[in-house]
Amino acid sequence: MISDGFGQASEGLARAYMQHQTAIEQLAWTSLLDDMLVGTTRTRSANTWVTDSAAGATAFSCARKSLNGAIGVSAEGMPCATVLEAAKLAGYATGLVTTARITHATPAAFAAHARDRDMEDLIATQMLRLMPGGANAANHSVDVMLGGGRCHFLPRGTAESCRGDSEDVWRQAEARGVHTLTTRKQLDALVSSDQPVLGLFGQSHLAYAIDGDTSQPPLSEMADRALNLLSNRTSRGFFLMIEGARIDMAAHDNDPATHLHEILEYWRTVQVVKDFVQRTENTLLISTSDHETGGLTLGRDPEYLWHPHVLRPVVRSAERICQELMQTDRDAVAHNVRHVVMPRYLGIGNATDGEVASIVQAEGAKKCRRAVGEVVSARARLGWTTGGHTGAD
């Protein structure tokens, strides 16, 4: 299991929030990850002190440091055999589960090889072993893949496509025996399958947990179904990588409440996997992070405090809020920020003119998301040093 972009301060954030929420003695509450803690990892890549997710995942999948942006290749640019590929060759079932696009850096590094993580069209074909002259996908692809990113499997020109070519990878996969899913209802109905399973429940990344999109399965549900599918597939055993991908993306936006809820969903997923491991012999659970994102600090100069209660009433991600604002008539944005975004989405009933203006005047989606996150962070007394990654252990 990989909690992308989840640093030690993020664990402290979620733990303190839960301690604040519980009726029991606050200091006695610990998370599942607290109870499992063994140590830390040094996260740097082969060419920089601050890794990206591609090099981080390649270190996990190939057991060697690589270059930022590299997917399943060595620092010298050569493909490196991954633990998932080794498991497949040894007769184990294999799976990938993520809340990101299935072709995104972390899952890709276990089942594809590319010098640039942005080569997602190529990665999609590699993950299904659909390269020209490739063997039947039912024999050689990953057995179960669940997540988002359907757009890289559809031909250019179709409504949901983001491919740069006319290849219909989705139809090619179906023609070669892959069982495809696009809805949560289809996933719920799937008990077992002798075919490879490709379930992509969104055009791009899946929705944030805080936004409550019930049409898409949460990480815990996808993990539970993958475990059942893989364990019923072969008596040999299985390898499964599960990624809480959007922990990282919320931190890139410096969006604390969204970051928090992605962590809580990751914890729920760890519990699902831990329960499975406890009732299944010879099964190992490892949970780790690839790097820290955002440079989160619990406390903000000059006070020695932070306020977990500020995060409780937040019910929308900065991403979803800004998507709505971008679709709002410009003359109505200020009114919506003051009378909808602040009280309904962020739980702020006494917004200042400065807080409203910071969001209204933000140019573009990225700056809007950061502005929304800053309003909540400032009130909670949380700090962020970057919108990127850090080199922390």
Side-chain angles (χ1 to χ4, degrees), residues 165-202:
D165 58 36
S166 59
E167 290 293 314
D168 192 337
V169 179
W170 191 263
R171 295 301 179 201
Q172 291 177 38
E174 290 177 330
R176 298 197 188 188
V178 177
H179 188 137
T180 56
L181 312 170
T182 60
T183 69
R184 186 177 185 179
K185 185 177 181 180
Q186 290 174 328
L187 179 65
D188 290 342
L190 184 64
V191 177
S192 63
S193 177
D194 294 330
Q195 302 168 281
V197 175
L198 175 63
L200 301 182
F201 309 103

PDB file of all heavy atoms in Angstrom, residues 165-202:
ATOM      1  N   ASP A 165      -3.939   9.785 -30.129  1.00  0.00           N
ATOM      2  CA  ASP A 165      -4.055   9.008 -31.358  1.00  0.00           C
ATOM      3  C   ASP A 165      -5.437   8.361 -31.435  1.00  0.00           C
ATOM      4  O   ASP A 165      -6.285   8.546 -30.562  1.00  0.00           O
ATOM      5  CB  ASP A 165      -2.952   7.948 -31.453  1.00  0.00           C
ATOM      6  CG  ASP A 165      -2.956   6.971 -30.280  1.00  0.00           C
ATOM      7  OD1 ASP A 165      -4.056   6.631 -29.785  1.00  0.00           O
ATOM      8  OD2 ASP A 165      -1.873   6.538 -29.852  1.00  0.00           O
ATOM      9  N   SER A 166      -5.664   7.599 -32.477  1.00  0.00           N
ATOM     10  CA  SER A 166      -6.984   7.005 -32.722  1.00  0.00           C
ATOM     11  C   SER A 166      -7.104   5.581 -32.195  1.00  0.00           C
ATOM     12  O   SER A 166      -8.084   4.887 -32.494  1.00  0.00           O
ATOM     13  CB  SER A 166      -7.289   7.019 -34.219  1.00  0.00           C
ATOM     14  OG  SER A 166      -6.304   6.281 -34.938  1.00  0.00           O
ATOM     15  N   GLU A 167      -6.139   5.117 -31.425  1.00  0.00           N
ATOM     16  CA  GLU A 167      -6.192   3.757 -30.883  1.00  0.00           C
ATOM     17  C   GLU A 167      -7.341   3.622 -29.888  1.00  0.00           C
ATOM     18  O   GLU A 167      -7.461   4.425 -28.956  1.00  0.00           O
ATOM     19  CB  GLU A 167      -4.876   3.405 -30.193  1.00  0.00           C
ATOM     20  CG  GLU A 167      -3.700   3.215 -31.129  1.00  0.00           C
ATOM     21  CD  GLU A 167      -3.874   1.996 -32.013  1.00  0.00           C
ATOM     22  OE1 GLU A 167      -4.251   0.925 -31.492  1.00  0.00           O
ATOM     23  OE2 GLU A 167      -3.639   2.118 -33.229  1.00  0.00           O
ATOM     24  N   ASP A 168      -8.167   2.617 -30.046  1.00  0.00           N
ATOM     25  CA  ASP A 168      -9.253   2.321 -29.109  1.00  0.00           C
ATOM     26  C   ASP A 168      -8.771   1.181 -28.208  1.00  0.00           C
ATOM     27  O   ASP A 168      -9.086   0.011 -28.430  1.00  0.00           O
ATOM     28  CB  ASP A 168     -10.520   1.935 -29.857  1.00  0.00           C
ATOM     29  CG  ASP A 168     -11.748   1.909 -28.947  1.00  0.00           C
ATOM     30  OD1 ASP A 168     -11.566   1.754 -27.725  1.00  0.00           O
ATOM     31  OD2 ASP A 168     -12.870   2.047 -29.463  1.00  0.00           O
ATOM     32  N   VAL A 169      -8.006   1.542 -27.210  1.00  0.00           N
ATOM     33  CA  VAL A 169      -7.405   0.547 -26.316  1.00  0.00           C
ATOM     34  C   VAL A 169      -8.484  -0.205 -25.550  1.00  0.00           C
ATOM     35  O   VAL A 169      -8.355  -1.406 -25.276  1.00  0.00           O
ATOM     36  CB  VAL A 169      -6.407   1.227 -25.357  1.00  0.00           C
ATOM     37  CG1 VAL A 169      -5.796   0.217 -24.400  1.00  0.00           C
ATOM     38  CG2 VAL A 169      -5.312   1.930 -26.154  1.00  0.00           C
ATOM     39  N   TRP A 170      -9.551   0.493 -25.201  1.00  0.00           N
ATOM     40  CA  TRP A 170     -10.639  -0.124 -24.448  1.00  0.00           C
ATOM     41  C   TRP A 170     -11.253  -1.289 -25.243  1.00  0.00           C
ATOM     42  O   TRP A 170     -11.404  -2.392 -24.712  1.00  0.00           O
ATOM     43  CB  TRP A 170     -11.688   0.939 -24.147  1.00  0.00           C
ATOM     44  CG  TRP A 170     -12.748   0.538 -23.165  1.00  0.00           C
ATOM     45  CD1 TRP A 170     -13.988   0.060 -23.448  1.00  0.00           C
ATOM     46  CD2 TRP A 170     -12.655   0.594 -21.738  1.00  0.00           C
ATOM     47  NE1 TRP A 170     -14.691  -0.179 -22.291  1.00  0.00           N
ATOM     48  CE2 TRP A 170     -13.896   0.136 -21.221  1.00  0.00           C
ATOM     49  CE3 TRP A 170     -11.655   0.993 -20.846  1.00  0.00           C
ATOM     50  CZ2 TRP A 170     -14.167   0.075 -19.845  1.00  0.00           C
ATOM     51  CZ3 TRP A 170     -11.919   0.925 -19.482  1.00  0.00           C
ATOM     52  CH2 TRP A 170     -13.156   0.460 -18.993  1.00  0.00           C
ATOM     53  N   ARG A 171     -11.573  -1.038 -26.506  1.00  0.00           N
ATOM     54  CA  ARG A 171     -12.171  -2.086 -27.339  1.00  0.00           C
ATOM     55  C   ARG A 171     -11.175  -3.199 -27.641  1.00  0.00           C
ATOM     56  O   ARG A 171     -11.533  -4.380 -27.697  1.00  0.00           O
ATOM     57  CB  ARG A 171     -12.694  -1.488 -28.649  1.00  0.00           C
ATOM     58  CG  ARG A 171     -13.840  -0.511 -28.480  1.00  0.00           C
ATOM     59  CD  ARG A 171     -15.035  -1.144 -27.803  1.00  0.00           C
ATOM     60  NE  ARG A 171     -16.122  -0.204 -27.628  1.00  0.00           N
ATOM     61  CZ  ARG A 171     -17.102  -0.343 -26.742  1.00  0.00           C
ATOM     62  NH1 ARG A 171     -17.118  -1.403 -25.948  1.00  0.00           N
ATOM     63  NH2 ARG A 171     -18.057   0.558 -26.648  1.00  0.00           N
ATOM     64  N   GLN A 172      -9.936  -2.839 -27.838  1.00  0.00           N
ATOM     65  CA  GLN A 172      -8.910  -3.858 -28.073  1.00  0.00           C
ATOM     66  C   GLN A 172      -8.791  -4.781 -26.867  1.00  0.00           C
ATOM     67  O   GLN A 172      -8.637  -5.997 -27.011  1.00  0.00           O
ATOM     68  CB  GLN A 172      -7.566  -3.193 -28.362  1.00  0.00           C
ATOM     69  CG  GLN A 172      -7.487  -2.463 -29.689  1.00  0.00           C
ATOM     70  CD  GLN A 172      -6.144  -1.779 -29.862  1.00  0.00           C
ATOM     71  OE1 GLN A 172      -5.109  -2.308 -29.470  1.00  0.00           O
ATOM     72  NE2 GLN A 172      -6.156  -0.590 -30.454  1.00  0.00           N
ATOM     73  N   ALA A 173      -8.842  -4.184 -25.670  1.00  0.00           N
ATOM     74  CA  ALA A 173      -8.759  -4.993 -24.458  1.00  0.00           C
ATOM     75  C   ALA A 173      -9.939  -5.944 -24.358  1.00  0.00           C
ATOM     76  O   ALA A 173      -9.777  -7.142 -24.052  1.00  0.00           O
ATOM     77  CB  ALA A 173      -8.710  -4.067 -23.240  1.00  0.00           C
ATOM     78  N   GLU A 174     -11.132  -5.442 -24.628  1.00  0.00           N
ATOM     79  CA  GLU A 174     -12.322  -6.297 -24.571  1.00  0.00           C
ATOM     80  C   GLU A 174     -12.227  -7.430 -25.578  1.00  0.00           C
ATOM     81  O   GLU A 174     -12.600  -8.577 -25.287  1.00  0.00           O
ATOM     82  CB  GLU A 174     -13.569  -5.457 -24.828  1.00  0.00           C
ATOM     83  CG  GLU A 174     -13.907  -4.498 -23.687  1.00  0.00           C
ATOM     84  CD  GLU A 174     -15.113  -3.630 -23.990  1.00  0.00           C
ATOM     85  OE1 GLU A 174     -15.356  -3.322 -25.183  1.00  0.00           O
ATOM     86  OE2 GLU A 174     -15.821  -3.261 -23.030  1.00  0.00           O
ATOM     87  N   ALA A 175     -11.699  -7.119 -26.761  1.00  0.00           N
ATOM     88  CA  ALA A 175     -11.566  -8.136 -27.807  1.00  0.00           C
ATOM     89  C   ALA A 175     -10.588  -9.234 -27.422  1.00  0.00           C
ATOM     90  O   ALA A 175     -10.691 -10.367 -27.912  1.00  0.00           O
ATOM     91  CB  ALA A 175     -11.130  -7.492 -29.117  1.00  0.00           C
ATOM     92  N   ARG A 176      -9.668  -8.913 -26.530  1.00  0.00           N
ATOM     93  CA  ARG A 176      -8.670  -9.900 -26.111  1.00  0.00           C
ATOM     94  C   ARG A 176      -8.998 -10.523 -24.758  1.00  0.00           C
ATOM     95  O   ARG A 176      -8.141 -11.117 -24.107  1.00  0.00           O
ATOM     96  CB  ARG A 176      -7.287  -9.246 -26.073  1.00  0.00           C
ATOM     97  CG  ARG A 176      -6.841  -8.750 -27.443  1.00  0.00           C
ATOM     98  CD  ARG A 176      -5.360  -8.511 -27.464  1.00  0.00           C
ATOM     99  NE  ARG A 176      -4.933  -7.853 -28.688  1.00  0.00           N
ATOM    100  CZ  ARG A 176      -3.681  -7.667 -29.023  1.00  0.00           C
ATOM    101  NH1 ARG A 176      -2.695  -8.071 -28.220  1.00  0.00           N
ATOM    102  NH2 ARG A 176      -3.364  -7.054 -30.148  1.00  0.00           N
ATOM    103  N   GLY A 177     -10.243 -10.340 -24.310  1.00  0.00           N
ATOM    104  CA  GLY A 177     -10.682 -11.079 -23.125  1.00  0.00           C
ATOM    105  C   GLY A 177     -10.649 -10.336 -21.822  1.00  0.00           C
ATOM    106  O   GLY A 177     -10.760 -10.957 -20.756  1.00  0.00           O
ATOM    107  N   VAL A 178     -10.517  -9.011 -21.836  1.00  0.00           N
ATOM    108  CA  VAL A 178     -10.508  -8.235 -20.598  1.00  0.00           C
ATOM    109  C   VAL A 178     -11.943  -7.863 -20.229  1.00  0.00           C
ATOM    110  O   VAL A 178     -12.707  -7.367 -21.059  1.00  0.00           O
ATOM    111  CB  VAL A 178      -9.652  -6.953 -20.741  1.00  0.00           C
ATOM    112  CG1 VAL A 178      -9.716  -6.108 -19.467  1.00  0.00           C
ATOM    113  CG2 VAL A 178      -8.208  -7.340 -21.054  1.00  0.00           C
ATOM    114  N   HIS A 179     -12.310  -8.112 -18.981  1.00  0.00           N
ATOM    115  CA  HIS A 179     -13.633  -7.756 -18.461  1.00  0.00           C
ATOM    116  C   HIS A 179     -13.591  -6.295 -18.017  1.00  0.00           C
ATOM    117  O   HIS A 179     -12.896  -5.950 -17.076  1.00  0.00           O
ATOM    118  CB  HIS A 179     -13.981  -8.661 -17.266  1.00  0.00           C
ATOM    119  CG  HIS A 179     -15.376  -8.522 -16.770  1.00  0.00           C
ATOM    120  ND1 HIS A 179     -16.149  -9.598 -16.434  1.00  0.00           N
ATOM    121  CD2 HIS A 179     -16.150  -7.430 -16.549  1.00  0.00           C
ATOM    122  CE1 HIS A 179     -17.334  -9.184 -16.030  1.00  0.00           C
ATOM    123  NE2 HIS A 179     -17.350  -7.879 -16.084  1.00  0.00           N
ATOM    124  N   THR A 180     -14.336  -5.430 -18.699  1.00  0.00           N
ATOM    125  CA  THR A 180     -14.273  -3.999 -18.421  1.00  0.00           C
ATOM    126  C   THR A 180     -15.467  -3.540 -17.582  1.00  0.00           C
ATOM    127  O   THR A 180     -16.594  -4.024 -17.748  1.00  0.00           O
ATOM    128  CB  THR A 180     -14.231  -3.179 -19.722  1.00  0.00           C
ATOM    129  OG1 THR A 180     -15.367  -3.501 -20.532  1.00  0.00           O
ATOM    130  CG2 THR A 180     -12.956  -3.466 -20.495  1.00  0.00           C
ATOM    131  N   LEU A 181     -15.201  -2.572 -16.703  1.00  0.00           N
ATOM    132  CA  LEU A 181     -16.215  -1.995 -15.820  1.00  0.00           C
ATOM    133  C   LEU A 181     -16.096  -0.476 -15.867  1.00  0.00           C
ATOM    134  O   LEU A 181     -14.989   0.060 -15.929  1.00  0.00           O
ATOM    135  CB  LEU A 181     -16.010  -2.451 -14.372  1.00  0.00           C
ATOM    136  CG  LEU A 181     -15.798  -3.940 -14.082  1.00  0.00           C
ATOM    137  CD1 LEU A 181     -15.384  -4.125 -12.631  1.00  0.00           C
ATOM    138  CD2 LEU A 181     -17.055  -4.722 -14.383  1.00  0.00           C
ATOM    139  N   THR A 182     -17.239   0.200 -15.795  1.00  0.00           N
ATOM    140  CA  THR A 182     -17.211   1.668 -15.757  1.00  0.00           C
ATOM    141  C   THR A 182     -18.046   2.248 -14.631  1.00  0.00           C
ATOM    142  O   THR A 182     -18.006   3.454 -14.401  1.00  0.00           O
ATOM    143  CB  THR A 182     -17.720   2.262 -17.087  1.00  0.00           C
ATOM    144  OG1 THR A 182     -19.066   1.819 -17.314  1.00  0.00           O
ATOM    145  CG2 THR A 182     -16.841   1.838 -18.258  1.00  0.00           C
ATOM    146  N   THR A 183     -18.817   1.429 -13.921  1.00  0.00           N
ATOM    147  CA  THR A 183     -19.692   1.941 -12.868  1.00  0.00           C
ATOM    148  C   THR A 183     -19.482   1.199 -11.554  1.00  0.00           C
ATOM    149  O   THR A 183     -19.043   0.040 -11.532  1.00  0.00           O
ATOM    150  CB  THR A 183     -21.176   1.807 -13.262  1.00  0.00           C
ATOM    151  OG1 THR A 183     -21.544   0.413 -13.290  1.00  0.00           O
ATOM    152  CG2 THR A 183     -21.442   2.444 -14.622  1.00  0.00           C
ATOM    153  N   ARG A 184     -19.829   1.870 -10.485  1.00  0.00           N
ATOM    154  CA  ARG A 184     -19.746   1.258  -9.159  1.00  0.00           C
ATOM    155  C   ARG A 184     -20.697   0.064  -9.059  1.00  0.00           C
ATOM    156  O   ARG A 184     -20.373  -0.947  -8.415  1.00  0.00           O
ATOM    157  CB  ARG A 184     -20.083   2.313  -8.106  1.00  0.00           C
ATOM    158  CG  ARG A 184     -19.897   1.853  -6.674  1.00  0.00           C
ATOM    159  CD  ARG A 184     -20.189   2.986  -5.710  1.00  0.00           C
ATOM    160  NE  ARG A 184     -19.901   2.617  -4.337  1.00  0.00           N
ATOM    161  CZ  ARG A 184     -20.056   3.441  -3.307  1.00  0.00           C
ATOM    162  NH1 ARG A 184     -20.488   4.681  -3.514  1.00  0.00           N
ATOM    163  NH2 ARG A 184     -19.772   3.033  -2.075  1.00  0.00           N
ATOM    164  N   LYS A 185     -21.850   0.166  -9.683  1.00  0.00           N
ATOM    165  CA  LYS A 185     -22.819  -0.920  -9.658  1.00  0.00           C
ATOM    166  C   LYS A 185     -22.248  -2.172 -10.297  1.00  0.00           C
ATOM    167  O   LYS A 185     -22.437  -3.294  -9.802  1.00  0.00           O
ATOM    168  CB  LYS A 185     -24.096  -0.486 -10.378  1.00  0.00           C
ATOM    169  CG  LYS A 185     -25.224  -1.505 -10.315  1.00  0.00           C
ATOM    170  CD  LYS A 185     -26.477  -0.967 -10.980  1.00  0.00           C
ATOM    171  CE  LYS A 185     -27.622  -1.983 -10.900  1.00  0.00           C
ATOM    172  NZ  LYS A 185     -28.859  -1.463 -11.543  1.00  0.00           N
ATOM    173  N   GLN A 186     -21.521  -2.009 -11.411  1.00  0.00           N
ATOM    174  CA  GLN A 186     -20.890  -3.156 -12.059  1.00  0.00           C
ATOM    175  C   GLN A 186     -19.835  -3.791 -11.151  1.00  0.00           C
ATOM    176  O   GLN A 186     -19.719  -5.022 -11.089  1.00  0.00           O
ATOM    177  CB  GLN A 186     -20.251  -2.722 -13.379  1.00  0.00           C
ATOM    178  CG  GLN A 186     -21.232  -2.351 -14.467  1.00  0.00           C
ATOM    179  CD  GLN A 186     -20.551  -1.781 -15.695  1.00  0.00           C
ATOM    180  OE1 GLN A 186     -19.511  -1.121 -15.597  1.00  0.00           O
ATOM    181  NE2 GLN A 186     -21.116  -2.027 -16.869  1.00  0.00           N
ATOM    182  N   LEU A 187     -19.076  -2.966 -10.452  1.00  0.00           N
ATOM    183  CA  LEU A 187     -18.061  -3.490  -9.539  1.00  0.00           C
ATOM    184  C   LEU A 187     -18.711  -4.260  -8.398  1.00  0.00           C
ATOM    185  O   LEU A 187     -18.247  -5.339  -8.013  1.00  0.00           O
ATOM    186  CB  LEU A 187     -17.210  -2.338  -8.983  1.00  0.00           C
ATOM    187  CG  LEU A 187     -16.112  -2.740  -7.990  1.00  0.00           C
ATOM    188  CD1 LEU A 187     -15.056  -3.603  -8.675  1.00  0.00           C
ATOM    189  CD2 LEU A 187     -15.461  -1.503  -7.378  1.00  0.00           C
ATOM    190  N   ASP A 188     -19.790  -3.707  -7.845  1.00  0.00           N
ATOM    191  CA  ASP A 188     -20.480  -4.362  -6.739  1.00  0.00           C
ATOM    192  C   ASP A 188     -21.010  -5.733  -7.149  1.00  0.00           C
ATOM    193  O   ASP A 188     -21.066  -6.657  -6.328  1.00  0.00           O
ATOM    194  CB  ASP A 188     -21.644  -3.491  -6.251  1.00  0.00           C
ATOM    195  CG  ASP A 188     -21.180  -2.223  -5.549  1.00  0.00           C
ATOM    196  OD1 ASP A 188     -20.000  -2.175  -5.143  1.00  0.00           O
ATOM    197  OD2 ASP A 188     -21.988  -1.284  -5.421  1.00  0.00           O
ATOM    198  N   ALA A 189     -21.411  -5.853  -8.410  1.00  0.00           N
ATOM    199  CA  ALA A 189     -22.010  -7.104  -8.883  1.00  0.00           C
ATOM    200  C   ALA A 189     -20.969  -8.165  -9.249  1.00  0.00           C
ATOM    201  O   ALA A 189     -21.310  -9.336  -9.421  1.00  0.00           O
ATOM    202  CB  ALA A 189     -22.896  -6.829 -10.091  1.00  0.00           C
ATOM    203  N   LEU A 190     -19.698  -7.757  -9.355  1.00  0.00           N
ATOM    204  CA  LEU A 190     -18.649  -8.687  -9.796  1.00  0.00           C
ATOM    205  C   LEU A 190     -18.088  -9.446  -8.596  1.00  0.00           C
ATOM    206  O   LEU A 190     -17.387  -8.881  -7.762  1.00  0.00           O
ATOM    207  CB  LEU A 190     -17.530  -7.923 -10.505  1.00  0.00           C
ATOM    208  CG  LEU A 190     -16.419  -8.780 -11.113  1.00  0.00           C
ATOM    209  CD1 LEU A 190     -16.964  -9.671 -12.225  1.00  0.00           C
ATOM    210  CD2 LEU A 190     -15.300  -7.896 -11.641  1.00  0.00           C
ATOM    211  N   VAL A 191     -18.397 -10.726  -8.522  1.00  0.00           N
ATOM    212  CA  VAL A 191     -17.939 -11.561  -7.400  1.00  0.00           C
ATOM    213  C   VAL A 191     -16.624 -12.251  -7.736  1.00  0.00           C
ATOM    214  O   VAL A 191     -15.717 -12.337  -6.915  1.00  0.00           O
ATOM    215  CB  VAL A 191     -19.016 -12.601  -7.034  1.00  0.00           C
ATOM    216  CG1 VAL A 191     -18.516 -13.517  -5.924  1.00  0.00           C
ATOM    217  CG2 VAL A 191     -20.305 -11.907  -6.620  1.00  0.00           C
ATOM    218  N   SER A 192     -16.514 -12.755  -8.957  1.00  0.00           N
ATOM    219  CA  SER A 192     -15.287 -13.427  -9.383  1.00  0.00           C
ATOM    220  C   SER A 192     -15.178 -13.306 -10.893  1.00  0.00           C
ATOM    221  O   SER A 192     -16.152 -13.012 -11.588  1.00  0.00           O
ATOM    222  CB  SER A 192     -15.286 -14.902  -8.975  1.00  0.00           C
ATOM    223  OG  SER A 192     -16.340 -15.592  -9.616  1.00  0.00           O
ATOM    224  N   SER A 193     -13.977 -13.519 -11.407  1.00  0.00           N
ATOM    225  CA  SER A 193     -13.760 -13.464 -12.843  1.00  0.00           C
ATOM    226  C   SER A 193     -12.496 -14.229 -13.198  1.00  0.00           C
ATOM    227  O   SER A 193     -11.462 -14.074 -12.538  1.00  0.00           O
ATOM    228  CB  SER A 193     -13.639 -12.015 -13.320  1.00  0.00           C
ATOM    229  OG  SER A 193     -13.359 -11.970 -14.707  1.00  0.00           O
ATOM    230  N   ASP A 194     -12.592 -15.055 -14.221  1.00  0.00           N
ATOM    231  CA  ASP A 194     -11.413 -15.745 -14.740  1.00  0.00           C
ATOM    232  C   ASP A 194     -10.664 -14.881 -15.750  1.00  0.00           C
ATOM    233  O   ASP A 194      -9.572 -15.231 -16.180  1.00  0.00           O
ATOM    234  CB  ASP A 194     -11.819 -17.062 -15.408  1.00  0.00           C
ATOM    235  CG  ASP A 194     -12.380 -18.058 -14.406  1.00  0.00           C
ATOM    236  OD1 ASP A 194     -11.960 -18.016 -13.237  1.00  0.00           O
ATOM    237  OD2 ASP A 194     -13.247 -18.861 -14.797  1.00  0.00           O
ATOM    238  N   GLN A 195     -11.279 -13.760 -16.133  1.00  0.00           N
ATOM    239  CA  GLN A 195     -10.660 -12.848 -17.082  1.00  0.00           C
ATOM    240  C   GLN A 195      -9.944 -11.719 -16.325  1.00  0.00           C
ATOM    241  O   GLN A 195     -10.263 -11.418 -15.174  1.00  0.00           O
ATOM    242  CB  GLN A 195     -11.731 -12.217 -17.971  1.00  0.00           C
ATOM    243  CG  GLN A 195     -12.583 -13.200 -18.755  1.00  0.00           C
ATOM    244  CD  GLN A 195     -13.775 -12.497 -19.364  1.00  0.00           C
ATOM    245  OE1 GLN A 195     -14.764 -12.232 -18.698  1.00  0.00           O
ATOM    246  NE2 GLN A 195     -13.666 -12.162 -20.641  1.00  0.00           N
ATOM    247  N   PRO A 196      -8.999 -11.045 -16.976  1.00  0.00           N
ATOM    248  CA  PRO A 196      -8.464  -9.811 -16.389  1.00  0.00           C
ATOM    249  C   PRO A 196      -9.600  -8.805 -16.232  1.00  0.00           C
ATOM    250  O   PRO A 196     -10.516  -8.755 -17.056  1.00  0.00           O
ATOM    251  CB  PRO A 196      -7.446  -9.334 -17.424  1.00  0.00           C
ATOM    252  CG  PRO A 196      -7.104 -10.541 -18.222  1.00  0.00           C
ATOM    253  CD  PRO A 196      -8.350 -11.380 -18.254  1.00  0.00           C
ATOM    254  N   VAL A 197      -9.554  -8.015 -15.165  1.00  0.00           N
ATOM    255  CA  VAL A 197     -10.595  -7.036 -14.883  1.00  0.00           C
ATOM    256  C   VAL A 197     -10.000  -5.634 -14.964  1.00  0.00           C
ATOM    257  O   VAL A 197      -8.996  -5.334 -14.302  1.00  0.00           O
ATOM    258  CB  VAL A 197     -11.210  -7.258 -13.490  1.00  0.00           C
ATOM    259  CG1 VAL A 197     -12.209  -6.143 -13.152  1.00  0.00           C
ATOM    260  CG2 VAL A 197     -11.888  -8.623 -13.425  1.00  0.00           C
ATOM    261  N   LEU A 198     -10.619  -4.782 -15.775  1.00  0.00           N
ATOM    262  CA  LEU A 198     -10.216  -3.388 -15.894  1.00  0.00           C
ATOM    263  C   LEU A 198     -11.423  -2.521 -15.530  1.00  0.00           C
ATOM    264  O   LEU A 198     -12.361  -2.396 -16.317  1.00  0.00           O
ATOM    265  CB  LEU A 198      -9.745  -3.074 -17.315  1.00  0.00           C
ATOM    266  CG  LEU A 198      -9.393  -1.610 -17.614  1.00  0.00           C
ATOM    267  CD1 LEU A 198      -8.209  -1.154 -16.762  1.00  0.00           C
ATOM    268  CD2 LEU A 198      -9.100  -1.407 -19.098  1.00  0.00           C
ATOM    269  N   GLY A 199     -11.403  -1.950 -14.341  1.00  0.00           N
ATOM    270  CA  GLY A 199     -12.482  -1.089 -13.896  1.00  0.00           C
ATOM    271  C   GLY A 199     -12.003   0.342 -13.758  1.00  0.00           C
ATOM    272  O   GLY A 199     -11.210   0.644 -12.867  1.00  0.00           O
ATOM    273  N   LEU A 200     -12.448   1.210 -14.663  1.00  0.00           N
ATOM    274  CA  LEU A 200     -12.054   2.620 -14.641  1.00  0.00           C
ATOM    275  C   LEU A 200     -13.322   3.454 -14.472  1.00  0.00           C
ATOM    276  O   LEU A 200     -14.163   3.502 -15.371  1.00  0.00           O
ATOM    277  CB  LEU A 200     -11.301   2.987 -15.915  1.00  0.00           C
ATOM    278  CG  LEU A 200     -10.023   2.173 -16.178  1.00  0.00           C
ATOM    279  CD1 LEU A 200      -9.323   2.655 -17.438  1.00  0.00           C
ATOM    280  CD2 LEU A 200      -9.081   2.228 -14.983  1.00  0.00           C
ATOM    281  N   PHE A 201     -13.439   4.117 -13.331  1.00  0.00           N
ATOM    282  CA  PHE A 201     -14.704   4.701 -12.913  1.00  0.00           C
ATOM    283  C   PHE A 201     -14.766   6.218 -13.062  1.00  0.00           C
ATOM    284  O   PHE A 201     -15.666   6.859 -12.538  1.00  0.00           O
ATOM    285  CB  PHE A 201     -14.987   4.280 -11.466  1.00  0.00           C
ATOM    286  CG  PHE A 201     -14.875   2.794 -11.274  1.00  0.00           C
ATOM    287  CD1 PHE A 201     -13.751   2.231 -10.668  1.00  0.00           C
ATOM    288  CD2 PHE A 201     -15.865   1.952 -11.747  1.00  0.00           C
ATOM    289  CE1 PHE A 201     -13.632   0.860 -10.519  1.00  0.00           C
ATOM    290  CE2 PHE A 201     -15.756   0.568 -11.607  1.00  0.00           C
ATOM    291  CZ  PHE A 201     -14.642   0.027 -10.988  1.00  0.00           C
ATOM    292  N   GLY A 202     -13.806   6.766 -13.771  1.00  0.00           N
ATOM    293  CA  GLY A 202     -13.800   8.190 -14.050  1.00  0.00           C
ATOM    294  C   GLY A 202     -12.960   8.478 -15.276  1.00  0.00           C
ATOM    295  O   GLY A 202     -12.073   7.692 -15.639  1.00  0.00           O
TER     296      GLY A 202
END
